[in-house]
Amino acid sequence: VISKLILVQLQSFPKMISSSAKLQGQIRSPNQLRQIKVRIGTIQKMFGNIGGNNIDNRQELKTQILEAVKDLQRGLTASESDKQQVDELARKLEKQNPNSNVLESSQINGKWRLLYTTSEGILGTKKPALFRPKGPIFQTIDAVNLKAKNQETSPFFNAVEADLEPVSKSQVKVIFKTFYILGFIPVKAPETARGSLDTTYVDEDLRISRGDKGNLFIL
């Protein structure tokens, strides 16, 4: 907050100089005024970086993340080096989360498409290629009613519904209730089918979450 207030003052300072000091003869040439403005611009950039939640910085990190994961088949073909790079970028973006109270933000609600994960269970890394999900995978979050649904598409359209129980401003316990085999055959989830999910970043079009087993999810 303090850095933002200082930045506002710095942004208005060049106008103050040109309207007062210059008229009073304290700045003797346009060149002097330009030099002062350049120095002020440098200070503004410094405070912009200190502020952290710079929109341009966030957008740049988001672009880097999307570029890093685009050819990884949701993480299926990711090497250890790829995983490390994506995790480092995600951690940088998490520090700039624009929503301090994620579960009360309307931006978390909706149907999110999975772009990348380290979860072997979701990727089906231990299954024969024939039985791995091929089409998009979605997660629907309804933080108002504390409901969630994970849904595969082709070839099997498996899904699972869950209840959510908040434990912090960003983290929920996940209590799985019903599995749907082939998308329409309901199977009651066992009592042990539980987990947790911490949404560490969310904005209007990107979400980062981390599971209780240390898995990373980018949607």
Side-chain angles (χ1 to χ4, degrees):
V1 174
I2 294 174
S3 64
K4 289 182 179 179
L5 291 173
I6 295 173
L7 184 56
V8 169
Q9 294 297 319
L10 287 169
Q11 288 171 337
S12 64
F13 194 53
K15 295 179 181 178
M16 292 168 59
I17 290 174
S18 57
S19 63
S20 59
K22 187 179 179 184
L23 290 175
Q24 295 171 16
Q26 295 177 17
I27 296 177
R28 299 181 182 278
S29 71
N31 187 50
Q32 283 182 294
L33 181 60
R34 283 195 296 271
Q35 290 176 354
I36 291 174
K37 286 184 177 180
V38 168
R39 291 172 184 171
I40 291 172
T42 301
I43 296 172
Q44 287 174 340
K45 290 180 181 178
M46 291 171 60
F47 276 99
N49 291 334
I50 292 172
N53 274 353
N54 182 282
I55 294 174
D56 291 339
N57 288 346
R58 291 205 308 268
Q59 189 58 50
E60 175 62 25
L61 282 169
K62 287 166 63 175
T63 300
Q64 291 179 28
I65 288 172
L66 295 177
E67 182 67 22
V69 305
K70 72 174 185 178
D71 295 323
L72 299 181
Q73 297 183 37
R74 288 191 294 254
L76 185 64
T77 61
S79 65
E80 288 304 314
S81 177
D82 292 328
K83 293 176 184 179
Q84 182 177 353
Q85 179 191 15
V86 174
D87 189 76
E88 288 176 356
L89 289 170
R91 290 185 186 280
K92 288 180 180 179
L93 189 57
E94 287 167 333
K95 292 178 181 178
Q96 299 193 31
N97 186 3
N99 290 291
S100 58
N101 193 338
V102 170
L103 295 179
E104 290 190 2
S105 170
S106 61
Q107 292 181 327
I108 195 174
N109 297 308
K111 190 174 184 178
W112 295 86
R113 179 171 175 167
L114 181 67
L115 303 176
Y116 173 87
T117 185
T118 56
S119 170
E120 293 184 348
I122 290 176
L123 293 173
T125 55
K126 296 180 180 179
K127 299 178 181 178
L130 180 65
F131 296 103
R132 295 172 187 160
K134 301 294 191 298
I137 298 174
F138 297 99
Q139 182 176 71
T140 301
I141 298 288
D142 179 356
V144 177
N145 295 301
L146 297 175
K147 301 288 184 181
K149 183 176 182 179
N150 295 344
Q151 186 176 14
E152 297 178 2
T153 53
S154 62
F156 299 112
F157 297 88
N158 294 323
V160 59
E161 293 178 344
D163 290 342
L164 305 177
E165 183 180 318
V167 295
S168 74
K169 292 182 178 181
S170 63
Q171 187 174 9
V172 293
K173 290 181 180 179
V174 182
I175 302 124
F176 295 101
K177 305 300 288 186
T178 307
F179 293 94
Y180 292 90
I181 310 303
L182 302 178
F184 65 92
I185 303 172
V187 176
K188 185 179 179 181
E191 289 295 324
T192 55
R194 300 190 174 213
S196 69
L197 192 69
D198 190 9
T199 296
T200 51
Y201 179 93
V202 67
D203 63 18
E204 67 279 2
D205 57 15
L206 189 75
R207 195 182 107 221
I208 300 174
S209 295
R210 294 183 182 270
D212 55 312
K213 295 181 175 62
N215 288 313
L216 172 64
F217 303 88
I218 298 176
L219 305 95

